[in-house]
Amino acid sequence: MAPDHESQLENHPPASAPVSPPASFVEQANVADEDIYEEFEENWPECWARAGDLLDWESDYEQVLARDGETRRWFEGGQLNASVNCLDRHVEAGRKNKVAIKWSGRQNGTRSYTYLALKREVEEFAASLRELGVEEDDVVTLYMPMIPELPIAMLACARIGAPHSVVFAGFSADALATRMNSADSEYLVTCDGYYRRGTPVHQKSKADNARLKLDHDVAAAVVVERLGDGTPLGDSEYDYSDLIARHRNATVEPVPRDANDELFLIYTSGTTGEPTGVRHTTGGYLSHVAWTAQSVLDIKPEDTYWCSADIGWITGHSYIVYGPLALGTTSVMYEGTPDYPEKDRVWELIERNAVDVFYTAPTAIRAFMKWGEEYPEKHDLSSLRLLGTVGEPINPRAWRWYHEHIGNGECPVVDTWWQTETGGMMVTTLPGVAEMKPGSAGPPLPGVSAKVVDGTGEPISSNEAGYLVVDRPWPGMPLSMVENEGWFVERNEGYPSLEGFDWVYFSEDAGTVDENGYITVLGRVDDLIDVSGHLFGTADIETAITDTEGVTEAAVVSGPEESDGRGAATVYAYVSTAEGYGEELREDVIEAVSEQVSPLAAPDIIVFTPDLPKTRSGKIMRRMLASVTRGDDLGDTSALRNPEVVGELESAIDSER
Ligand code: 6R9
């Protein structure tokens, strides 16, 4: 989006009619007082003590936000340990028998860890890591699927002050090697393998291949037995259960960490190019995720809460592990896939565990819609009190389906915008305070200053697309921003001028803001299309398409320029449909976009496809679609969750042109 295009931006369709939270929800909400916005504003940054004070500090912080030159340090002077906050303090407060992690495996196996049991195993594994030579500040790489040993290893690292770097289990040996090299990580925890849809995945052999590509030695690797195929262990390799047995009942004194010491490192999900490492702090990050789990997800200690993300992504770190456990609730963990053995697996688990709060992604919701409401209808979902989404823009139709068919019209839906870089939620409604507008994430959280600005950095007027920036520090900000290692994104062409700000972070997302201050996120700035000099957000066009009856998902990219030489791109739409729908939707799609966005934005080419290419974290990979559209070499498709769709797309597109 080049700044000189600003004046030509089309108006964006306003989000659909607001929905108010039911009185019964508001009455019990953790945060129900609308004055909270003003209170935070008047008392910034001290207002953030409300988040910091949710934690137990080994030594109290002296300042909520310390500024020294260009650095901004949250909870300066404070010392704490994340594993104490997630475990010890709940055990000491008489909740040792409360279930911390309730795990469901692939083949109907289940395991539950009480806070006491979890603390014990965390200490036993922390003692094991120490025995293997792990010291404070050594980076430990965790390459495991969704098994309880993953959060156990994370908390064990946290206990001894060793930052963890979780690498998504589905990643290749190359991806693991790149991340271990980049982090200079000499310790690895992995597993022998696991089953995915009934087929064994040999995780250990991927890890072995990665080791061959490292530019340093691995000091020790720990292997959890999950497949049980008798995978042999080599030099400097250790069996997890042997280690635990050897350290049975060990106690490990938690290492006090400074608020701004690193808790973990995580690589961005990488829809584009090289993965970037993001380091998060101990005090600011943990406060931010605990506070947002409490105020936005409305989590109470007595709840059963389920976030269906993978711990390999930031959502799992913040809202399966650290946020919920800091609040002492029961966090459900699910190893399998949502359609195995049946397409009602998610609803069966919600019923079985009587889940109170459920947090998932729009891509999952659109899959549920495609499968049909008969699957949720088979189950009693009345335990649900609140629903949440994260990861991509959610189109109003999917929002309403979720609200109605999963929440029975009675659960508020929080559409939470945030990123790996922000650590925790930034823009969303507080469910006990504000009305929701389907399709729009909502206002920035109290104490968060997020704005939509034009190319010159000026706040933008109602409903025009602009750049989403955050112009005040927030507790969950990464260490690079704490230390002022350039929060300014390098000035690329088409990025806004940020010179007028004292302090600013550009999210690289585009968005609009309405007259009530509700922000609608349109996706990455690269996802804008220039049609004859008019800029459209792909998300707006996609929303119009996916809101058409019969459509499940849509992705829009710009195609080759039209031959009339005006330099205008053609609009390509890739559309997947529910069963029983197909080609006849073509006219409806064009009409929907023409009416809801603009006739200019109506797709020139519509390709119907059974599925869209997705990243491993479930986001639509537009970069890949753009390459398919241009007929470019696709290069490495191993970052895709479903590489098989690429061939199907190539042949579908050939028949369209
Ligand atoms: C938490 C997470 C971040 C990117 C972000 C944006 C998109 C996330 C969204 C959303 C619209 C929402 N995104 N939440 N877009 N509405 N509620 O997903 O982190 O993997 O780093 O992705 O995801 O484009 O910039 P991460």
Side-chain angles (χ1 to χ4, degrees), residues 267-271 278 313-316 318-319 359 362 389-394 414-425 427-428 439-441 468 505 507-510 519-525 527 539 615 617 619:
Y267 289 84
T268 53
S269 59
T271 41
V278 177
W313 314 120
I314 191 70
T315 304
S318 303
Y319 299 108
Y359 191 34
T389 94
V390 59
E392 282 192 300
I394 181 164
V414 283
D415 172 359
T416 61
W417 176 85
W418 58 289
Q419 308 178 299
T420 305
E421 291 83 347
T422 69
M425 298 167 184
V427 174
T428 175
S440 172
L468 181 54
Y505 163 69
S507 66
E508 296 186 63
D509 275 348
I519 293 174
T520 297
V521 179
L522 298 171
R524 316 299 294 174
V525 278
D527 297 339
T615 63
S617 63
K619 295 181 207 277

Side-chain angles (χ1 to χ4, degrees), residues 440-456:
S440 172
L445 282 171
V448 169
S449 183
K451 293 195 170 103
V452 177
V453 300
D454 67 16
T456 66

Side-chain angles (χ1 to χ4, degrees), residues 29 143 277 291 297 469 526 656:
Y143 185 49
W291 161 246
L297 295 173
V469 301
D526 317 324
E656 283 305 322

Side-chain angles (χ1 to χ4, degrees), residues 3-271:
D4 54 304
H5 281 128
E6 229 54 60
S7 56
Q8 295 160 332
L9 280 169
E10 294 297 304
N11 272 1
H12 288 263
S16 44
V19 179
S20 296
S24 56
F25 181 90
V26 175
E27 269 162 32
Q28 61 79 60
N30 284 338
V31 176
D33 184 356
E34 61 184 329
D35 293 342
I36 189 168
Y37 288 96
E38 216 174 288
E39 281 166 19
F40 267 62
E41 200 49 47
E42 281 169 2
N43 191 25
W44 197 93
E46 281 70 30
C47 56
W48 280 108
R50 188 143 167 194
D53 294 349
L54 290 175
L55 304 182
D56 280 3
W57 296 81
E58 173 77 26
S59 44
D60 286 340
Y61 53 87
E62 285 141 23
Q63 253 183 302
V64 173
L65 180 63
R67 304 164 186 219
D68 182 6
E70 292 302 308
T71 61
R72 299 284 187 278
R73 301 169 67 82
W74 286 96
F75 306 115
E76 183 67 347
Q79 287 199 314
L80 75 168
N81 182 285
S83 86
V84 168
N85 276 282
C86 292
L87 302 168
D88 305 42
R89 63 171 179 159
H90 306 311
V91 171
E92 280 152 26
R95 296 196 297 273
K96 65 183 177 202
N97 291 326
K98 159 97 194 170
V99 173
I101 291 179
K102 206 168 193 192
W103 176 83
S104 287
R106 289 175 195 280
Q107 289 96 6
N108 283 324
T110 59
R111 271 198 260 166
S112 284
Y113 289 79
T114 62
Y115 275 94
L116 179 63
L118 191 63
K119 174 174 180 283
R120 286 253 189 279
E121 194 158 326
V122 164
E123 289 192 79
E124 288 161 358
F125 194 55
S128 309
L129 289 173
R130 279 237 173 104
E131 179 206 315
L132 300 179
V134 178
E135 290 178 7
E136 194 174 350
D137 290 320
D138 286 344
V139 176
V140 180
T141 300
L142 310 178
Y143 185 49
M144 282 189 273
M146 288 285 284
I147 52 177
E149 288 80 1
L150 176 52
I152 288 168
M154 291 164 78
L155 293 167
C157 288
R159 195 162 192 93
I160 59 174
H164 52 73
S165 168
V166 179
V167 176
F168 174 60
F171 270 145
S172 63
D174 277 359
L176 174 62
T178 312
R179 287 159 177 77
M180 286 185 78
N181 277 333
S182 146
D184 210 3
S185 172
E186 296 179 357
Y187 296 92
L188 175 67
V189 185
T190 184
C191 67
D192 53 353
Y194 58 98
Y195 281 96
R196 190 169 164 82
R197 293 174 191 282
T199 317
V201 177
H202 294 280
Q203 194 74 354
K204 170 74 168 37
S205 60
K206 287 200 284 177
D208 290 345
N209 288 336
R211 279 180 79 163
L212 300 174
K213 293 177 180 152
L214 291 186
D215 47 28
H216 58 268
D217 287 336
V218 167
V222 179
V223 182
V224 177
E225 185 186 304
R226 175 74 188 123
L227 200 57
D229 64 346
T231 303
L233 296 182
D235 282 349
S236 68
E237 293 179 346
Y238 303 84
D239 176 69
Y240 177 90
S241 36
D242 286 352
L243 288 170
I244 294 290
R246 197 149 73 230
H247 294 280
R248 193 165 167 77
N249 285 334
T251 52
V252 173
E253 273 304 301
V255 172
R257 299 281 280 170
D258 284 350
N260 288 288
D261 279 346
E262 182 176 346
L263 177 59
F264 65 83
L265 163 72
I266 183 167
Y267 289 84
T268 53
S269 59
T271 41

